Amino acid sequence: MPDGPSGAANNSRAQGGYDAYFGTYTVDDEKGSVTQRLLGSLSREHVGAVLTRDMEVQDDTLVIRLETTAADGTTVTRTLTWRRVG
């Protein structure tokens, strides 16, 4: 039975693949990577996952990149950019 106002069993997938998660992380400055351990997620099957991604810090900007493959087989680079303000 669907659970949620949209009628979808997993609302994150129904909204174009959006997901949110939280957990702990460690940074490896030598390798330029960050490893996240997911303690909670909108997608239940992601709880407990360990994700390692490339990262780069320049001045007040942190960029995290993940090379992945789209459903059609093409390579996709997903990028998350954080900029310190104030």
Side-chain angles (χ1 to χ4, degrees):
M1 176 176 203
D3 59 359
S6 73
N10 183 330
N11 203 21
S12 65
R13 286 190 182 82
Q15 299 300 319
Y18 172 80
D19 197 3
Y21 53 84
F22 65 90
T24 62
Y25 67 93
T26 55
V27 173
D28 187 326
D29 288 320
E30 286 186 27
K31 291 182 180 178
S33 65
V34 58
T35 299
Q36 299 165 301
R37 288 163 184 79
L38 306 189
L39 300 177
S41 174
L42 288 178
S43 300
R44 291 182 193 128
E45 69 271 17
H46 293 164
V47 174
V50 177
L51 310 171
T52 299
R53 298 181 171 135
D54 294 332
M55 65 162 233
E56 178 182 3
V57 177
Q58 289 185 353
D59 300 319
D60 288 338
T61 303
L62 166 65
V63 178
I64 299 174
R65 289 186 183 85
L66 172 66
E67 297 286 330
T68 188
T69 305
D72 65 2
T74 59
T75 301
V76 176
T77 302
R78 298 186 186 274
T79 304
L80 174 63
T81 302
W82 292 85
R83 193 164 285 121
R84 185 186 326 215
V85 295

